[in-house]
Amino acid sequence: MTTIILIVFFVSGIAGLKKPLIGTIAGCILTIVLFFLFYNFTVFQFLLTCLIGFATSLAGSRAFSWFFSGFRGGKHNTGPSYIGGGDRTALGGGIILTDEERENLKKKKNSGGIR
């Protein structure tokens, strides 16, 4: 039973990296499939396994989604940010861009890539 719980946890976590609901559904389906492959059917054991499998898949998909959320990347600017000065004329905070990022933004603006 412990092996099935670990398998369901990791599979639902990987399937739910972007959308935890999909990982939860995948984990529930995997729990039922693994139950019918490795156990004899009794109603009590089936219901208990489904309950444990649902909780495990929900926990796995949420944990992986939360833990790996910072590693997604994407086309947004990330990097060190700064806080603006104290007087009213100073601009607010923002993101410090490298020279390469600034050049890429200029190219996108000139080509119509940013709207």
Side-chain angles (χ1 to χ4, degrees):
M1 183 70 159
T2 306
T3 308
I4 290 178
I5 290 172
L6 288 174
I7 292 170
V8 168
F9 183 82
F10 284 109
V11 168
S12 66
I14 291 169
L17 279 174
K18 289 192 177 187
K19 296 194 179 206
L21 179 63
I22 293 173
T24 303
I25 293 170
C28 290
I29 292 171
L30 182 64
T31 301
I32 294 170
V33 169
L34 291 176
F35 176 79
F36 282 116
L37 288 176
F38 296 114
Y39 291 106
N40 294 328
F41 182 79
T42 60
V43 174
F44 177 72
Q45 191 171 9
F46 177 72
L47 293 175
L48 183 66
T49 304
C50 285
L51 182 65
I52 292 172
F54 174 74
T56 303
S57 63
L58 183 66
S61 62
R62 295 286 177 175
F64 273 60
S65 176
W66 173 78
F67 184 73
F68 290 109
S69 65
F71 300 120
R72 287 189 190 147
K75 294 187 177 183
H76 57 279
N77 294 324
T78 59
S81 58
Y82 63 92
I83 298 173
D87 68 351
R88 293 185 170 266
T89 60
L91 297 174
I95 295 174
I96 301 171
L97 300 175
T98 63
D99 293 334
E100 182 180 337
E101 290 172 330
R102 285 192 184 122
E103 289 298 319
N104 287 338
L105 285 175
K106 286 180 186 177
K107 288 178 187 175
K108 286 182 183 179
K109 283 182 182 179
N110 292 336
S111 68
I114 296 179
R115 295 169 200 202

